[in-house]
Amino acid sequence: MLIRAVAISVGIAVLAGCAAPTRYIDPAADDGPVAMTMDYRDFEKAATDAVEDMLASGAVNNPNGGRYIMVVSRITNDTMQRIDTDQLTKKIRVALLRSGKVVTTTAVGINGAEDEMSMKARELRNSEEFDQSGVQRKGTLQAPDLSLSGKILQRNHKVGKEQQVEYYIQLSLTDLASGLAFWEGETPIIKRGSDKSVSW
Amino acid sequence: MKRIVFASMLMLGMVGCATPPETSHSLIERQELKVDPEVIYTMEVTELFQERLSQPGGGSLLQVQFAVDARSDAELAWKVTWFDDSGMKVKGVGEGYRRATLLAGQSRFFKATAPNPRVTSYQLHLREPK
């Protein structure tokens, strides 16, 4: 009995010793292996390509001066993975905000407001419980000028004994006044690896 | 005598207040192009251009383009770090290196656009991904 307990303990200790230690990864210096699924580096590449191209094209420069107001529309996930498309759009929004050219509204959205508080705060109007001087007045919300929409596609192929997974990140920036796409971009991300790797 | 010493001390003190302490200087001159030795064996940087792109509503953005000629098949990782007029780093979209694969004899051209009109200088770093 004692020998068995000692053997199990030693086994667990050895296995624990073999396990890779948990460590922090610095995104600015990550040379780690590539996954067949979409990882943070892929979203970073797509966002960088999109933002640099938007800025260079001048599409986000308001000719009347000031900043454009952008709303994030539908970004369709047509991949086999469960992707939160905010991973992509947030990077784009942050970068455009930092550029000083675009500000994003959270008061409107394809499935309702991203931040419902803009409307909730207005429900305090005429409430006797609240000091009305601090309550938002009518007609202060800003309507969007631009809409960001897109799609993430995935295609899988068998190439010899390997598997090729293609992702296409397609984005459009539509001028809401005219309905015209002021800017469009596509970032392909192609990965080839073991046929045994899973991409979903 | 005491009065002279006091007046001299007061004057020195005021001069000290009038001269702001130097806080902005770089200890070592920052290189615009930094190429790791491993990269030099397999490729050569043949061009490095920069221009300011005029924007429709006014202002301009710094854009950098560089070209690399590969002597053999190689992997390259590159990153541009942006700085404002005071030499302070300006955040870009991502922090990671961009990767590229080069075929022997191939010339490739890469471009990067500054994230903000405040950007006036940059540092381009080329390295070999592990």
Side-chain angles (χ1 to χ4, degrees):
Chain A
M1 183 64 187
L2 184 67
I3 293 172
R4 191 178 290 175
V6 169
I8 290 169
S9 308
V10 169
I12 290 170
V14 167
L15 280 168
C18 291
T22 305
R23 56 212 187 275
Y24 286 108
I25 299 297
D26 181 355
D30 183 9
D31 267 342
V34 179
M36 287 298 266
T37 50
M38 283 193 76
D39 68 9
Y40 81 91
R41 287 172 287 195
D42 300 323
F43 288 113
E44 193 172 289
K45 178 182 164 37
T48 305
D49 286 357
V51 170
E52 287 199 0
D53 201 33
M54 276 183 210
L55 293 175
S57 70
V60 291
N61 261 66
N62 192 341
N64 304 321
R67 296 182 293 184
Y68 268 131
I69 300 169
M70 185 179 83
V71 65
V72 177
S73 179
R74 184 167 286 123
I75 310 282
T76 308
N77 172 22
D78 187 16
T79 70
M80 296 166 201
Q81 295 162 52
R82 191 183 142 82
I83 292 171
D84 187 339
T85 54
D86 279 357
Q87 254 189 295
L88 174 70
T89 55
K90 192 54 123 182
K91 283 184 197 301
I92 295 172
R93 285 167 58 162
V94 169
L96 288 177
L97 182 66
R98 280 203 203 121
S99 75
K101 294 173 188 293
V102 179
V103 62
T104 303
T105 173
T106 58
V108 201
I110 202 96
N111 295 317
E114 184 182 319
D115 186 351
E116 291 172 10
M117 199 49 72
S118 297
M119 290 311 290
K120 285 270 180 209
R122 282 161 173 78
E123 288 173 15
L124 307 179
R125 213 173 280 147
N126 301 326
S127 167
E128 290 177 1
E129 300 297 328
F130 288 87
D131 173 4
Q132 291 298 305
S133 64
V135 175
Q136 301 305 324
R137 286 174 291 114
K138 282 185 182 178
T140 55
L141 288 176
Q142 299 290 305
D145 307 300
L146 301 171
S147 167
L148 181 71
S149 61
K151 196 174 192 179
I152 307 174
L153 300 162
Q154 179 180 350
R155 293 290 172 264
N156 285 25
H157 307 281
K158 199 165 157 49
V159 184
K161 289 179 182 170
E162 286 188 311
Q163 178 188 195
Q164 180 168 302
V165 186
E166 300 170 0
Y167 300 100
Y168 298 93
I169 299 168
Q170 302 173 333
L171 292 167
S172 298
L173 192 65
T174 304
D175 170 40
L176 292 172
S178 62
L180 302 174
F182 270 17
W183 174 89
E184 292 191 275
E186 181 183 66
T187 303
I189 291 165
I190 319 292
K191 298 180 177 189
R192 205 172 289 160
S194 165
D195 204 16
K196 289 170 186 156
S197 314
V198 279
S199 54
W200 63 85
Chain B
M1 181 65 185
K2 269 184 185 175
R3 194 175 290 176
I4 294 167
V5 170
F6 179 74
S8 308
M9 294 269 283
L10 191 68
M11 275 182 74
L12 279 170
M14 288 182 83
V15 167
C17 289
T19 314
E22 186 144 332
T23 52
S24 301
H25 65 281
S26 76
L27 301 171
I28 300 168
E29 186 92 1
R30 193 196 314 124
Q31 296 170 271
E32 273 188 353
L33 174 64
K34 244 179 101 176
V35 185
D36 283 8
E38 297 83 24
V39 174
I40 297 169
Y41 291 121
T42 52
M43 62 191 81
E44 188 185 0
V45 181
T46 53
E47 292 174 11
L48 177 60
F49 296 128
Q50 68 176 77
E51 68 164 342
R52 291 206 73 92
L53 286 176
S54 298
Q55 298 283 286
S60 63
L61 279 175
L62 183 65
Q63 196 169 52
V64 175
Q65 181 184 292
F66 68 99
V68 179
D69 277 6
R71 295 188 195 98
S72 59
D73 292 2
E75 295 285 323
L76 172 70
W78 63 279
K79 179 164 119 170
V80 182
T81 309
W82 306 102
F83 303 94
D84 66 14
D85 210 19
S86 324
M88 300 296 280
K89 185 184 154 188
V90 177
K91 266 195 161 187
V93 185
E95 284 192 297
Y97 282 79
R98 301 188 216 187
R99 285 166 180 252
T101 304
L102 288 98
L103 303 172
Q106 191 182 25
S107 297
R108 287 198 63 182
F109 301 83
F110 302 96
K111 208 153 57 169
T113 307
N116 192 291
R118 281 189 297 123
V119 170
T120 53
S121 61
Y122 65 93
Q123 183 179 68
L124 169 64
H125 183 205
L126 306 186
R127 57 181 284 273
E128 192 182 59
K130 281 173 193 158

